[in-house]
Amino acid sequence: MISFRKMLGASLYATMSISLWGISFVSTKAVLDKLDPFTLLVIRFGIGALFLLVLILVKKEHSMKLPIQYIPHLIVLGILGVFLHQVIQASALLSIDASSAGWLITLSPIFTVVLSMVFLHERMTFPKAIGIILAISGVLLVTTAGGDRSLGFSINIGYLLMVLSTLNWAIYSVLLKSLKVPLPALVLTFYMSTLGLLLTLPFIFQNKSWEKLILLDGVEWAHLIFLGVFVSGIAYWYWAKALEVLEATQVSVFLYLEPVSTLIAAVLLLHEKVIYTSILGGAIIILGVIFVNGHLVGLINRWSARR
């Protein structure tokens, strides 16, 4: 039985991770005008890996040795959760608003449940079916919000990439929990960030992208440092710490909070307009996810018991 104190600590770690990731869409969007996605990720992973290494040395983590049999596990986690996930998201943000990306990321718990039904043989229930229908309806509202788009096949590739990234993140979270790589969360995050750096590094030489770095101003460098230290470093570390205590489906619930931080940051930093249709769609997505994960049914049952 997990103690309340451990659950509270894990919940706080997950909340901080989600808040930082919500703002990350805004910081990524802010520098994509001058940097291509791969150059952005090289700088981000480089800063993140260096920060984590310093943190490991300060904390004197001694268990950095990884058993050979777990190297394939680490490579899979690094490719899915760091390299592929960030490439897809950065590419998506070339053509969609940061706030829309924040709403769509809440689909990840839906995919977590679907994966559990497929691979763990969990059964489909009526609330889950209703939730999936609600979530899809919300996605259609978010992706067609605004006056220049309508329902149909007008959804651009950016929205499809964001939906794909949520599926990818669900797979990563389930694997991170189930593979049980025997490393402290901080060391595991360092290795994955370093792997992300190594995978993206060839692109910066191929495109001679270092020439673009001199075009960045102080604010854009601040966004890059934030992405490296807080998003690639602290947020991934805290997410792994949360998964050490809570189940993947429990941690995925915290993704409901991500669009809120994204929306606030997008309005304050990027001056994006608040599209109320998008907010309505986001609320419907969250309601659908709550149905799918059974939290609404649980709340109703507890309320009925108290009555």
Side-chain angles (χ1 to χ4, degrees):
M1 185 71 177
I2 301 173
S3 68
F4 174 77
R5 186 173 181 179
K6 282 188 175 181
M7 291 188 65
L8 178 61
S11 298
L12 290 175
Y13 282 131
T15 301
M16 286 186 281
S17 294
I18 288 303
S19 300
L20 292 172
W21 280 329
I23 302 171
S24 75
F25 292 123
V26 175
S27 291
T28 300
K29 187 79 174 177
V31 296
L32 279 176
D33 288 337
K34 294 183 180 178
L35 297 180
D36 62 89
F38 287 106
T39 304
L40 165 63
L41 294 177
V42 168
I43 305 302
R44 172 177 168 174
F45 292 144
I47 295 173
L50 180 61
F51 168 76
L52 290 168
L53 179 59
V54 171
L55 202 57
I56 288 171
L57 295 176
V58 170
K59 290 174 64 66
K60 297 181 180 179
E61 293 277 6
H62 298 295
S63 53
M64 291 188 66
K65 186 177 180 180
L66 179 66
I68 295 177
Q69 65 267 30
Y70 287 100
I71 291 178
H73 299 59
L74 180 65
I75 292 174
V76 170
L77 289 172
I79 291 175
L80 282 178
V82 178
F83 173 71
L84 189 58
H85 186 69
Q86 297 304 329
V87 168
I88 293 173
Q89 284 196 355
S91 300
L93 285 167
L94 290 171
S95 56
I96 65 173
D97 294 336
S99 53
S100 296
W103 289 121
L104 291 176
I105 204 69
T106 55
L107 278 175
S108 190
I110 290 264
F111 286 121
T112 302
V113 170
V114 171
L115 288 171
S116 298
M117 287 190 293
V118 173
F119 295 104
L120 303 179
H121 308 294
E122 293 184 4
R123 62 189 183 89
M124 172 65 76
T125 63
F126 181 71
K128 286 181 181 179
I130 293 295
I132 290 173
I133 293 171
L134 281 173
I136 292 172
S137 302
V139 168
L140 290 175
L141 274 177
V142 169
T143 56
T144 57
D148 59 339
R149 295 193 296 274
S150 58
L151 291 176
F153 295 99
S154 59
I155 299 174
N156 69 40
I157 189 65
Y159 293 108
L160 297 178
L161 287 173
M162 276 307 304
V163 172
L164 179 61
S165 77
T166 64
L167 172 59
N168 177 74
W169 187 254
I171 296 172
Y172 165 75
S173 293
V174 171
L175 286 176
L176 183 61
K177 181 69 177 181
S178 60
L179 291 179
K180 300 184 184 300
V181 179
L183 286 174
L186 178 59
V187 177
L188 178 61
T189 307
F190 165 71
Y191 281 137
M192 289 196 298
S193 189
T194 303
L195 181 59
L197 173 63
L198 294 175
L199 289 172
T200 50
L201 197 58
F203 293 97
I204 200 171
F205 292 108
Q206 179 182 351
N207 302 328
K208 296 183 179 180
S209 302
W210 60 82
E211 298 174 355
K212 301 176 184 177
L213 297 180
I214 61 173
L215 301 176
L216 300 178
D217 58 29
V219 173
E220 288 160 341
W221 272 110
H223 281 296
L224 283 175
I225 293 171
F226 169 77
L227 288 169
V229 172
F230 290 94
V231 181
S232 292
I234 293 175
Y236 271 90
W237 173 30
Y238 282 0
W239 189 258
K241 285 179 71 69
L243 282 168
E244 287 178 343
V245 177
L246 303 174
E247 296 297 326
T249 51
Q250 292 176 308
V251 178
S252 69
V253 171
F254 289 89
L255 288 167
Y256 306 161
L257 303 174
E258 188 163 347
V260 178
S261 60
T262 303
L263 181 63
I264 293 172
V267 171
L268 294 178
L269 300 178
L270 297 181
H271 308 293
E272 288 187 2
K273 294 181 180 179
V274 177
I275 302 176
Y276 294 102
T277 307
S278 181
I279 294 177
L280 176 61
I284 293 174
I285 291 173
I286 293 173
L287 181 61
V289 173
I290 292 173
F291 262 103
V292 168
N293 282 277
H295 300 301
L296 187 60
V297 175
L299 287 173
I300 292 173
N301 289 339
R302 283 196 292 271
W303 181 81
S304 299
R306 289 177 181 176
R307 296 283 293 180

